[in-house]
Amino acid sequence: MSAVIPIQVDSGCADAPVLRERGQREVFCGLTGIVWLHRKMQDAFFLVVGSRTCAHLVQSAAGVMIFAEPRFATAIIDERDLAGLADANEELDRAVARLLQRRPDIRMLFLVGSCPSEVIKLDLSRAAQRLSGRHAGVRVLNYSGSGIETTFTQGEDACLAALVPELPDADPAQAPALLVVGTLADVIEGQLRRLFSAMGIERVDFLPARHADQLPAVGPRTQMLLAQPFLAETARLLEARGARRVAAPFPLGAEGSAAWLMAAAEAMHVPHARALAAIAPARQRAEAALAPHRRQLEGRRVFFFPDSQLELPLARFLARELGMQLTEVGTPYLHRQHMAQELDWLPAGTVLSEGQDVERQLDRCRAAAPDLVVCGLGLANPLEAEGFATKWSIELVFSPIQGFEQAGDLAALFSRPLRRRQLLAA
Amino acid sequence: MQLTLWTYEGPPHVGAMRVATGMHGLHYVLHAPQGDTYADLLFTMIERRSQRPPVTYTTFQARDLGGDTAQLFKSAVQSAYDRFHPQAMLVGASCTAELIQDDPGGLAEALALPIPVVPLELPAYQKKENWGAAETFYQLVRRLAPRTRTPRVAGAPPRCNILGPTALGFRHRDDLREIRGLLEQMGVAVNVVAPLGASPQDLTRLGEADFNVLLYPETAHTAAAWLQRTLDQPHTRTVPIGVQATRAFIAEVATLAGLDPQEAAARVDVEQSRSGWYAASVDSNYLTGKRVFVFGDATHAIAAARVASREFGFQVVGLGSYSREFARELRAEAALHGIEALVCDDYLEVEAAIAAATPELVLGTQMERHIAKRLGLPCAVISAPMHVQDFPARHAPQMGFEGANVLFDTWVQPLMMGLEEHLLAMFKGDFEFNEDAAPSHLGHAASRPEPVRVAPAGAAPADAAQWAPEAQRELDKVPFFVRGKARRNTERFALDRGLSRITIETLYDAKAHFSR
């Protein structure tokens, strides 16, 4: 087992071939995004227009979170709706009226499209316009979370993209502002605000905002910093409104967070030394927190099944900061531009795959015999039963993992399954 | 369009998956969009199965909708066959694929595979999970079972099939062990258990049994009825949940098997049956007349209502089910308890009914567990849908004598035990047992009782009598765990008599009236 992983800074994976596969995909659809989006947007409600399957999916993904008064529901299409479209629109209006009557605190309502609603071509954007006019004080928007259009975290992209036209225009006379895009846990937002403030950046907005009446402004002086790697469409629409994307790796691990923050500092014209000084204590804490995990993970081999598009940044973090060896890194979708820095940082020779044929990928996984497999819940226990240690990937989307203070927790998510195996074997 | 927050049942193709996953040597190819694979995790996580469900999904995406989804389906069937070599296959469509109208049965037939391929028509916009399971099992049996019964060899023991247990069934694993043991003690041989644990080949041997034991009507009554019609195999009608039902089941099985009922019953080991004595023991006196609300699938709800009232001495104040297929049976049972059955799959309605019935114990599903937690009520789970904790590692049947033991422990444990209740009454002035101290087992919900948001039906606040301050003070002296009942009874008493003001006299008049 080699103690040091040679990293060729001049090669990386920028030009590496990517294995593109089509076949059965063991992934969630975009509806799942509702589970974390509704926690973030506190006065928003997500109404899926779909089938019983959609309701069942959201319920299964939300697990114990379907407690108390959830701010999501499904308008289940039944055979009467399938008979004629006019009827379906009336039915939807009735469902929305009933919902808003029950929840007068709701300020923003998302009509979320599903596979059935898209296949029958129910026009949810017209429904959203119609309903916005009818219910004063509630903004009704729509996006698609269907499986035929979106994979897992792409549901968030579609949701935030629907918000972009709603953002007010930034005052061109005002100083440039930083816009951090992508759902982050509240605790992380607070940490980032303090770090930006220490650098002297006071004008920082986050998208999504916690409340419907706090939507950030956007314009040609907006510097857009992506906090999540799955925001292709949102970024495109923000750029169309003049925002400029700050190229950066994603804020995972000590190194990734530092590079992400430094890229923001440079875009906001913060002197390099001041920015470095501002982040130095947190970075040191992060590096110290990573050290014990590095001892555990160094040299161990990891395999990623596609799930959230977080795979490349996570693999980079595991390889560079924890010394893990990458076998295959799968992603449901590879956005070359947004991933450019990550690809540069990945060790040369990493096998990258986009899309999935799950049976063939399982064959490759077994052949690679990794020490740790990152995969979805449908595969995790069966692979454990075959003798593989696994880390279920959905937790990486639900847990706070970004930024310096979470670097140790993020590493622990990967070291814990291996430690547990040792403990149970002993 | 139905506005839904929670759903008691999944779509019908999940029912088909429960049959396929319960069996082996069978593979299901499901025409479905990307994302429908979420259903796999119900089996791998909730039931903790160590293998992936034997299901291949076509996972089509928007770009496939142009026209080659039929080809996609065919190649998925072919490659699933090549990889898994099953004895038989199921093919069908999920809700979205139903709309795009490829014909899974026809497409699979065109491949001319050398095994039986059973097409499933599961109308996703009308039917639900349990129906899907029943239909799938029925189609498999119809396709694979022989058309005639094999006569029993002279001198051989009577034989039965056990029908109904599936993957993701509430306690199916342990019920099966319990009932199999019971049958063997009686001298009845078990021929085939299906779907759980059976292969398609096993289904071809269904005719070698004299009769069928129908454990779960929700998933197998269609198949059992067909076997009765076609093979002249009668099936049991008693679901052996509770001691009384288990005894009735033993008698019914003995009759179907041609055994002497008393002799067969005498062979059954009843040493392990403790719930009867536990319910009779003095500590259980405090269970008398406890108000219980029951909701679940029809089979478990009806059985629970019987056990609650006849074996444990509770009062059933609510009975409901989301199984519309068994509404008639449910209404008949509710009538025996002098109440009206609640047949609905809208959990808000169930919540309103629970709040209105003001029970002291809720027996229900995972959803009722949440509702009860919110209302600060004790609750036990008796039926699917359930969460991971209701697939326990330990043996925990609902059926048979051990099942009745489990029911006693499970239902009584969340209630205050008699001794605890007694202590509370004795030391109610004590600082640790004061009226605002919540019972520890109810957690935080009980310590901050939320106002009940759902007004009981018909109780318009304007008509309600006002409490005189001295009557209110007297009410406050009533021990807190019966105070709600006292308040309710007094208010109803006042309303019935058209009293506008509740005095101390009214309070005690009501107490006398209701204690009878």
Side-chain angles (χ1 to χ4, degrees), chain A residues 140-344:
Chain A
V140 186
L141 301 174
N142 83 289
Y143 72 90
S144 168
S146 73
I148 56 177
E149 297 278 0
T150 58
T151 304
F152 195 28
T153 47
Q154 281 178 324
E156 172 169 338
D157 187 25
C159 174
L160 300 190
L163 274 176
V164 172
E166 302 296 311
L167 306 183
D169 285 318
D171 181 355
Q174 272 206 318
L178 186 64
L179 179 63
V180 178
V181 188
T183 298
L184 293 169
D186 288 351
V187 58
I188 297 180
E189 248 187 58
Q191 291 164 7
L192 294 175
R193 272 189 200 283
R194 286 195 293 278
L195 287 171
F196 286 130
S197 172
M199 290 177 174
I201 305 173
E202 295 296 348
R203 296 208 49 215
V204 184
D205 291 313
F206 288 84
L207 182 69
R210 271 175 238 184
H211 296 283
D213 58 2
Q214 295 169 349
L215 291 179
V218 64
R221 309 197 68 183
T222 303
Q223 297 287 344
M224 164 177 69
L225 186 60
L226 297 182
Q228 300 281 10
F230 42 73
L231 298 171
E233 182 64 8
T234 308
R236 193 183 67 77
L237 293 177
L238 285 167
E239 280 169 341
R241 290 195 57 182
R244 292 187 49 202
R245 185 174 69 89
V246 179
F250 291 93
L252 298 175
E255 186 186 43
S257 301
W260 186 79
L261 285 157
M262 293 303 287
E266 198 185 317
M268 299 299 284
H269 306 295
V270 175
H272 191 74
R274 179 171 182 191
L276 270 184
I279 65 170
R283 180 169 186 167
Q284 273 165 17
R285 270 200 302 277
E287 280 164 359
L290 288 175
H293 298 289
R294 185 176 176 108
R295 282 194 290 278
Q296 181 130 28
L297 292 172
E298 196 154 42
R300 309 299 282 275
R301 304 169 74 248
V302 60
F303 189 105
F304 279 87
F305 279 81
D307 192 52
S308 63
Q309 299 183 47
L310 279 161
E311 295 81 6
L312 263 62
L314 286 169
R316 175 266 299 166
F317 162 68
L318 293 180
R320 288 172 64 100
E321 299 191 51
L322 297 166
M324 290 190 86
Q325 286 184 38
L326 307 178
T327 52
E328 176 172 334
V329 181
T331 177
Y333 178 69
L334 178 58
H335 192 296
R336 287 224 162 250
Q337 234 186 332
H338 290 183
M339 285 295 173
Q341 280 73 17
E342 298 291 352
L343 287 167
D344 282 345

Side-chain angles (χ1 to χ4, degrees), chain A residues 126-139:
Chain A
R126 274 185 55 196
Q129 276 173 16
R130 182 175 73 235
L131 289 163
S132 269
R134 199 167 297 176
H135 299 281
V138 183
R139 218 179 310 205

Side-chain angles (χ1 to χ4, degrees), chain B residues 275-287 408:
Chain B
S275 69
W277 162 241
Y278 270 48
S281 76
V282 291
D283 191 58
S284 299
N285 255 313
Y286 293 88
L287 302 177
F408 184 88

